[in-house]
Amino acid sequence: MRHSVRLKSLKSQLSTIEVSRRVGRIIGVHGGVLHVSGLDKQARIGDRAEVTRSTGVLKAEVVQLLSDGIVLLPDEAVDGVALSDRVTLRPGGTIAPSQSWVGRIVDPDGQPLDGKPLPRGSVPRPLRTSPPPAAQRRAMGGRLQTGHIVFDTMLPLVKGQRIGLFAGSGVGKSSLMGEFATRISADIVVIAMIGERGREVRHFVDEVLGEKGRERAIVVAATSDQSPLVRRRCAWAAMAVAEHFRDEGKSVLFLADSITRFAEAHREVAVAAGEAPVLRGFPPSTAHLIMSLCERAGPGIEGQGDITGVFSVLVAGSDMDEPVADILRGVLDGHVVLDRSIAERGRFPAVDVLRSVSRSLPAAATPEENEILAQIRKHLSVYAQNQMMISAGLYTQGTDPEIDLALTLNAALDDAMGTLHEQDPKHSFDQLRLILRRAGRAPTLKSNLLKDRQAG
């Protein structure tokens, strides 16, 4: 069986060998882009190219087609490039994953980053492709256990759902995604580390994932020092890997960190290609770029698996109206806001429940559970609206029963939102129910009436 897989991989690699190539020449270098003649009849947008310069081969991508040539954006600095240097085209935009990639770290071109040989899959997949037909996609599946009470109750995650993690730097976003990777039930975990620091890639794999997490994970990484082309391809390559396993009927957990750096990489490429940055510094194509990536996640059609997607967003100064955050909120099935003030007082995950929402509710919970969630949101909201007055010592106990109750419940609910557990999500609801019961607000009468109506 192993020899058969290796033979298929070898045949796939041999099929990519070209007997002859047409050669172009460098005719100009302007603002970090390369102008090439002689390839305008063969080149297509997105094709890869190799420039033979005195200091070695420089890889690039076709970003513009002109009447008298093509424009390339290089993967590295253009140092050493001279006029009349040779340029050859290579087919680009595909990746060939296989089961042997599980447990490995690869770059956006499918090359290993851990120093070990990596067999190529037998079927190349395009990096950019259309999502499954909307009318044929299955509905989202059952609730997934995360190990965090806040996600197993207030913000449930279900199979095939797509959520966003919105946070500033240093608020615990990457750590939370690492816990998702090791705790959420899935056949395969695909992690896209887009523009991440090189040190963080190794730390995430060795410390956060650990040996147990690596057993079912594939990490696709492009570090912050690499070109915007490579960083942008990282998200597409990781999604193509996830789609490969989804089409095999597997349940895939897709984690992208971060979509902000993906959008920033696209901005650099788009501006080099002549697009104007008119959307608060981003080009108009940014919205479609992000939406098309997110739409590829989610449930597949009959006979396929699903891709549960978690997309992180870096929001400077908690600005939820900045372009990338605003685009994502409109296309995802929920968003989770991590608040710096909550993290600074030591509660992790630092989820701001009132600013977060999961669109899997109310379907992902029972009528009684939805009643519990509604009561808790109400009490948290009352406390938040009066927090300034309470903190300043201006509120007198006994003045308002709703505020009194919110004060009584707040500490217990805050502790519960930061609790990590290993039990079934139903036990998480039991804990919330117990908190309400101690305050005399257990949802018993209304939930019993609902059950009677359903039984009738």
Side-chain angles (χ1 to χ4, degrees):
M1 180 67 178
R2 184 177 298 176
H3 292 295
S4 174
V5 171
R6 289 178 178 174
L7 183 60
K8 287 182 179 179
S9 175
L10 180 59
K11 287 181 178 179
S12 177
Q13 294 181 54
L14 290 174
S15 66
T16 62
I17 297 176
E18 296 177 303
V19 178
S20 62
R21 296 183 191 171
R22 188 173 180 87
V23 176
R25 297 289 177 177
I26 297 290
I27 59 173
V29 181
H30 306 287
V33 297
L34 309 176
H35 291 254
V36 180
S37 66
L39 296 173
D40 48 296
K41 303 299 183 184
Q42 290 76 34
R44 297 171 296 179
I45 294 293
D47 277 352
R48 302 288 290 156
E50 292 182 352
V51 180
T52 305
R53 54 180 175 173
S54 59
T55 55
V57 174
L58 173 66
K59 293 183 178 181
E61 184 175 309
V62 179
V63 294
Q64 281 192 58
L65 302 178
L66 306 175
S67 59
D68 58 347
I70 63 174
V71 177
L72 304 178
L73 184 62
D75 284 0
E76 306 169 24
V78 296
D79 298 352
V81 174
L83 295 177
S84 298
D85 277 349
R86 289 164 49 95
V87 180
T88 55
L89 292 176
R90 294 186 62 85
T94 62
I95 194 168
S98 70
Q99 186 64 34
S100 61
W101 286 27
V102 178
R104 305 295 300 276
I105 311 173
V106 303
D107 69 11
D109 294 322
Q111 299 302 312
L113 294 176
D114 50 13
K116 302 174 185 177
L118 183 70
R120 180 183 166 91
S122 58
V123 181
R125 300 187 64 94
L127 295 186
R128 303 186 69 175
T129 186
S130 300
Q136 299 178 31
R137 298 186 86 157
R138 293 178 287 104
M140 293 190 296
R143 192 160 58 189
L144 296 170
Q145 181 177 350
T146 68
H148 291 276
I149 283 185
V150 65
F151 289 104
D152 290 346
T153 57
M154 304 297 296
L155 303 167
L157 182 64
V158 302
K159 274 190 177 183
Q161 187 176 356
R162 301 161 301 180
I163 67 167
L165 287 182
F166 298 78
S169 58
V171 186
K173 168 177 51 61
S174 297
S175 298
L176 180 58
M177 295 187 77
E179 291 183 358
F180 282 170
T182 55
R183 290 177 172 274
I184 292 180
S185 175
D187 299 318
I188 297 289
V189 179
V190 179
I191 304 165
M193 304 191 74
I194 308 162
E196 189 58 86
R197 291 161 291 182
R199 176 186 61 83
E200 288 296 324
V201 174
R202 184 64 183 269
H203 171 77
F204 184 87
V205 173
D206 291 347
E207 303 298 329
V208 179
L209 277 182
E211 185 176 348
K212 183 178 179 181
R214 289 198 304 269
E215 290 177 353
R216 60 172 188 161
I218 300 172
V219 178
V220 183
T223 53
S224 59
D225 62 308
Q226 293 182 283
S227 80
L229 288 170
V230 179
R231 285 181 272 133
R232 189 176 67 163
R233 284 203 307 275
C234 181
W236 293 333
M239 186 60 77
V241 173
E243 290 169 332
H244 169 81
F245 291 101
R246 179 206 63 195
D247 292 350
E248 290 184 346
K250 291 183 170 63
S251 177
V252 182
L253 175 64
F254 178 84
L255 306 173
D257 188 12
S258 72
I259 296 301
T260 302
R261 291 193 288 261
F262 171 61
E264 290 171 346
H266 173 70
R267 175 173 58 191
E268 295 182 53
V269 177
V271 170
E275 198 173 346
V278 296
L279 185 64
R280 290 179 63 181
F282 288 93
S285 59
T286 303
H288 179 260
L289 178 92
I290 293 174
M291 291 177 181
S292 61
L293 177 72
C294 295
E295 277 297 324
R296 291 167 64 181
I301 62 175
E302 289 298 329
Q304 294 181 345
D306 46 67
I307 301 174
T308 304
V310 180
F311 303 87
S312 76
V313 184
L314 285 165
V315 286
S318 300
D319 181 12
M320 291 294 291
D321 293 324
E322 62 92 23
V324 178
D326 197 39
I327 293 167
L328 267 176
R329 277 207 317 273
V331 74
L332 296 179
D333 306 313
H335 57 271
V336 177
V337 179
L338 303 184
D339 188 88
R340 188 174 301 278
S341 63
I342 297 176
E344 287 173 347
R345 56 183 167 82
R347 197 253 277 170
F348 293 96
V351 177
D352 187 331
V353 175
L354 294 178
R355 295 172 65 197
S356 306
V357 64
S358 171
R359 293 191 175 97
S360 64
L361 289 175
T366 66
E368 182 188 5
E369 290 170 346
N370 280 314
E371 185 182 342
I372 292 173
L373 300 182
Q375 286 199 29
I376 289 175
R377 278 192 174 272
K378 176 185 175 182
H379 298 317
L380 292 175
S381 178
V382 169
Y383 184 86
Q385 290 170 10
N386 298 277
Q387 186 173 11
M388 186 176 295
M389 182 174 61
I390 294 168
S391 300
L394 301 176
Y395 177 72
T396 303
Q397 191 84 9
T399 305
D400 187 314
E402 290 294 337
I403 299 178
D404 290 343
L405 183 58
L407 271 168
T408 303
L409 289 170
N410 184 69
L413 290 176
D414 190 67
D415 287 342
M417 294 303 105
T419 301
L420 193 65
H421 67 94
E422 301 289 347
Q423 297 177 321
D424 186 273
K426 291 182 179 179
H427 293 283
S428 300
F429 277 100
D430 290 339
Q431 186 169 339
L432 297 185
R433 189 182 291 106
L434 180 61
I435 292 172
L436 293 175
R437 183 175 292 119
R438 286 173 177 170
R441 290 300 179 97
T444 53
L445 179 61
K446 186 177 178 182
S447 61
N448 287 337
L449 288 174
L450 284 169
K451 289 176 183 177
D452 292 342
R453 289 173 186 170
Q454 289 176 343

